[in-house]
Amino acid sequence: MPDAEYYRNMYEYIDNLDEDIKAPAGIYEKRLEACKQCDSLLNGMCRVCGCFVEMRAAVMKNGCPAVSRKW
């Protein structure tokens, strides 16, 4: 899948999440900032659990899978 299509699909998924489970924009951005600082981030993927961090961060109930629980 070309990168542009991948990102379009990912953001479409995030945009279409039910508001009851979606993290508020401010929390989502703070989570992504923490992930960007993490040594376990590789090309948008968490090397601890294998998730795409933007998708994990978008759901309020999710947490950081790292031992240090950054969020």
Side-chain angles (χ1 to χ4, degrees), residues 1-56:
M1 175 183 307
D3 285 349
E5 185 176 348
Y6 162 76
Y7 285 111
R8 183 180 54 76
N9 287 339
M10 180 177 62
Y11 290 121
E12 184 176 310
Y13 165 82
I14 292 170
D15 288 342
N16 288 316
L17 283 173
D18 189 317
E19 292 298 321
D20 291 339
I21 66 168
K22 194 174 195 178
I27 291 174
Y28 175 71
E29 292 302 325
K30 284 183 182 182
R31 289 175 170 188
L32 291 182
E33 281 303 312
C35 290
K36 288 177 187 176
Q37 305 298 318
C38 184
D39 292 336
S40 295
L41 181 67
L42 179 64
N43 298 325
M45 185 179 285
C46 175
R47 293 187 300 170
V48 174
C49 72
C51 77
F52 291 102
V53 298
E54 292 195 48
M55 295 173 84
R56 176 181 284 277

Side-chain angles (χ1 to χ4, degrees), residues 51-68:
C51 77
F52 291 102
V53 298
E54 292 195 48
M55 295 173 84
R56 176 181 284 277
V59 178
M60 191 64 199
K61 72 173 183 151
N62 289 344
C64 173
V67 173
S68 60

